[in-house]
Amino acid sequence: MGIGAWRIVRKRNSDRMKGTVIAMGQTYTDADIRRILGADVPDSDIVDQRIQEAYQRVRRIGRNRAVRRKAVHGFLGAAAAVMLAVTFCVANPSVASQLPGAGSLFVRLQGIFRFSGIPEDETVYPYETAEQADDTDTAKRTDWTDSADTAESTERTDDAGIAKNLGTATDQGVTVTVTEYYASNQSISIGVRIGSADAFPKLAVTQAQQGNQLLQLLTEETYSFREAGDETVKGSRNLEGYLEDEHTFVGVMRIDYAGIKKDLRAYDAAIAECDAGGEPYPENGALEALIGEYEMPDHFQMQLGITGIRGYGYKDDSEAVQTFRIDGRWNMPSAWNVRCSDAGTERICIEEKNEKGYGIDFIEVSPIEVTVHAYDTGNADCVAVLDRNGRPLAMGEGGQFSAYARDISRITVYICDFDTWVDLKGEAWRENKILDEQLYAQLLEANALYKKTVDTADDVQQADR
């Protein structure tokens, strides 16, 4: 099984639509794929073969994705599909030991978490010292609540005069602690520390060069902006980080707003009705038209529950990778106020299509990400983004791209046919076993069905005036 979230989606067979499990989750750039495969080892025919096999799987998934891509919170990303066809690298025990042992997880995981670069002054913490509680300058950084029914900041101090963390829960000998969060106009990133009385298995590494390891949290997330009876979103969230020691894992979990604002009640009811009557599902977009959306506010309350933790570890001392899972109930005792930062964020209206229907509705930017809202053509398309220097932005889910280590003051957006994108990406890999960024940019320029260059810095500056 691949790393990623899991959701039941429908797939047509000869007689009717039935449920099947499809992996869904974090998307990885080709550089990450190379590292996953050990492709930084020169002259590896095995690696080349595995990549080609993986790309074939990407093509099949990409074609199918256009059929139902609106129906669920997200689908298996193109590069994430490669995760289904790879082996893992052996962890380098020296990597984690070189990282600092104190301070914000966002800072410590810089460069490991895909959407790194979170502004420190916009980070919110669930705890504070008694001294900080009296400091108005830190109020924004400790805006957590005691329950989902109140919006007041709560201070709880123990005998030592230190406020208790309002985001921690223990079960099955495992303690899960929310350490901090940052909310942009597109997503919320949450720092998480997991301590276990029993040692974790030796975890597989997905990016050997950086030491990135993954756990997956099965979550039940409650949001105040959703209607009564539909407040909870169940899902799976990748936790990107590393083992601090054999009993402690630290990582960052990302939640995209595109998923949590979906109202699937009418859609799910139609699916259930068809299933009960043995009827085929409506086509030509009729089913997808039932999907609604909640308005995404810039301030809402969230409460987090976790029902399972799973990951990939090595069996005994062998190189065989196996899945492990811990079932339990880790309900954070307090909800917290999520206030979306508007620092460095903007929604840029494009509203442009070419004669073939390809184009962009709008683009969202923040200090850590860019989200391209392309028009739906009904085809299997792929969006790629280059920064001011012509360097590609790492892909996320649903048209999202990481801005980490990139100059996004100007971006160029390309929309390609999915199969074409897979081919040109593969061609840009062939020469030096790493992505030839210049060649990749040239191939995008020559093959894109749509291109748009946007000066994002100008739009943000105008919005700030």
Side-chain angles (χ1 to χ4, degrees):
M1 294 297 200
I3 294 178
W6 300 85
R7 178 176 173 81
I8 299 297
V9 298
R10 275 72 185 178
K11 180 179 178 182
R12 182 174 297 279
N13 63 12
S14 58
D15 57 349
R16 57 169 298 188
M17 302 281 279
K18 293 185 177 180
T20 184
V21 178
I22 290 183
M24 172 200 78
Q26 185 68 44
T27 306
Y28 287 79
T29 65
D30 289 300
D32 301 332
I33 295 168
R34 281 280 174 178
R35 296 185 190 110
I36 293 166
L37 291 165
D40 44 357
V41 178
D43 302 323
S44 174
D45 293 335
I46 295 176
V47 167
D48 290 339
Q49 179 181 352
R50 295 298 294 276
I51 287 179
Q52 292 305 315
E53 293 171 355
Y55 273 129
Q56 292 301 318
R57 302 188 70 172
V58 168
R59 285 192 178 91
R60 293 194 295 271
I61 292 171
R63 294 192 189 100
N64 294 333
R65 184 169 65 174
V67 179
R68 291 277 183 253
R69 63 182 170 207
K70 293 182 181 177
V72 295
H73 298 311
F75 280 83
L76 181 66
V82 181
M83 292 292 291
L84 301 177
V86 302
T87 57
F88 293 91
C89 305
V90 177
N92 179 353
S94 66
V95 173
S97 65
Q98 295 170 0
L99 296 170
S104 164
L105 287 189
F106 292 161
V107 174
R108 294 168 57 193
L109 293 167
Q110 192 93 319
I112 292 180
F113 174 52
R114 174 163 305 281
F115 287 82
S116 293
I118 294 173
E120 290 186 64
D121 57 353
E122 297 296 323
T123 299
V124 182
Y125 300 92
Y127 55 88
E128 60 188 6
T129 66
E131 180 180 352
Q132 287 174 328
D134 296 327
D135 185 353
T136 56
D137 291 336
T138 64
K140 177 177 67 68
R141 296 163 60 86
T142 56
D143 188 17
W144 287 57
T145 64
D146 194 31
S147 72
D149 298 322
T150 177
E152 297 297 325
S153 179
T154 299
E155 177 193 353
R156 298 190 203 161
T157 57
D158 56 20
D159 293 339
I162 303 298
K164 294 180 180 179
N165 189 299
L166 303 182
T168 187
T170 300
D171 192 20
Q172 306 297 317
V174 175
T175 297
V176 178
T177 300
V178 173
T179 63
E180 64 228 76
Y181 82 79
Y182 164 74
S184 73
N185 58 341
Q186 300 159 67
S187 67
I188 176 172
S189 299
I190 303 173
V192 179
R193 174 179 284 105
I194 301 177
S196 174
D198 295 328
F200 282 99
K202 184 173 68 172
L203 294 182
V205 175
T206 58
Q207 298 180 47
Q209 185 173 354
Q210 294 180 318
N212 182 305
Q213 297 171 318
L214 288 178
L215 290 181
Q216 187 180 70
L217 305 183
L218 308 182
T219 64
E220 293 180 352
E221 306 151 16
T222 301
Y223 298 98
S224 61
F225 63 85
R226 297 175 66 91
E227 291 184 3
D230 193 38
E231 305 98 325
T232 301
V233 174
K234 295 182 180 180
S236 300
R237 307 294 183 186
N238 284 342
L239 187 65
E240 297 183 51
Y242 64 92
L243 281 172
E244 272 189 323
D245 55 56
E246 62 180 6
H247 294 276
T248 310
F249 187 93
V250 292
V252 181
M253 175 176 69
R254 176 183 171 86
I255 299 175
D256 300 324
Y257 297 154
I260 63 175
K261 69 180 183 181
K262 294 292 185 185
D263 182 352
L264 298 175
R265 289 175 293 181
Y267 174 88
D268 288 339
I271 291 290
E273 184 177 352
C274 291
D275 287 347
E279 299 293 331
Y281 296 152
E283 297 183 348
N284 299 321
L287 193 58
E288 287 79 4
L290 298 174
I291 301 172
E293 283 193 351
Y294 292 103
E295 183 178 354
M296 195 71 209
D298 58 10
H299 175 211
F300 58 90
Q301 291 184 335
M302 172 186 178
Q303 187 141 18
L304 176 66
I306 298 170
T307 61
I309 302 168
R310 59 188 177 193
Y312 286 78
Y314 294 102
K315 185 177 181 181
D316 302 323
D317 292 327
S318 69
E319 296 304 313
V321 177
Q322 64 178 6
T323 304
F324 66 89
R325 174 166 173 165
I326 307 169
D327 290 315
R329 174 66 67 170
W330 297 269
N331 289 331
M332 299 300 107
S334 300
W336 64 88
N337 285 325
V338 177
R339 299 184 183 274
C340 304
S341 171
D342 60 2
T345 68
E346 182 56 19
R347 173 176 168 142
I348 304 170
C349 291
I350 305 297
E351 297 179 344
E352 176 184 279
K353 287 184 181 180
N354 62 19
E355 65 280 0
K356 295 183 179 180
Y358 294 95
I360 301 170
D361 186 3
F362 62 97
I363 296 173
E364 293 176 289
V365 297
S366 84
I368 66 169
E369 70 224 318
V370 173
T371 300
V372 178
H373 297 265
Y375 288 114
D376 184 10
T377 65
N379 302 317
D381 305 326
C382 183
V383 176
V385 179
L386 303 183
D387 73 355
R388 176 178 284 275
N389 301 311
R391 302 195 65 195
L393 273 59
M395 283 185 175
E397 284 289 335
Q400 293 187 330
F401 298 83
S402 170
Y404 180 65
R406 295 291 184 267
D407 180 354
I408 62 168
S409 59
R410 170 180 289 181
I411 60 172
T412 302
V413 180
Y414 296 91
I415 301 178
C416 298
D417 169 77
F418 188 85
D419 280 351
T420 301
W421 175 79
V422 170
D423 288 336
L424 66 86
K425 203 65 179 290
E427 183 175 346
W429 275 113
R430 290 177 181 170
E431 295 299 324
N432 300 314
K433 306 300 183 184
I434 59 174
L435 180 65
D436 185 331
E437 295 181 352
Q438 184 176 1
L439 176 59
Y440 180 53
Q442 292 172 352
L443 292 171
L444 286 173
E445 187 74 24
N447 293 278
L449 300 170
Y450 174 86
K451 171 189 174 182
K452 183 69 174 181
T453 297
V454 179
D455 287 315
T456 63
D458 293 342
D459 289 274
V460 172
Q461 288 171 3
Q462 291 175 7
D464 290 340
R465 292 193 183 103

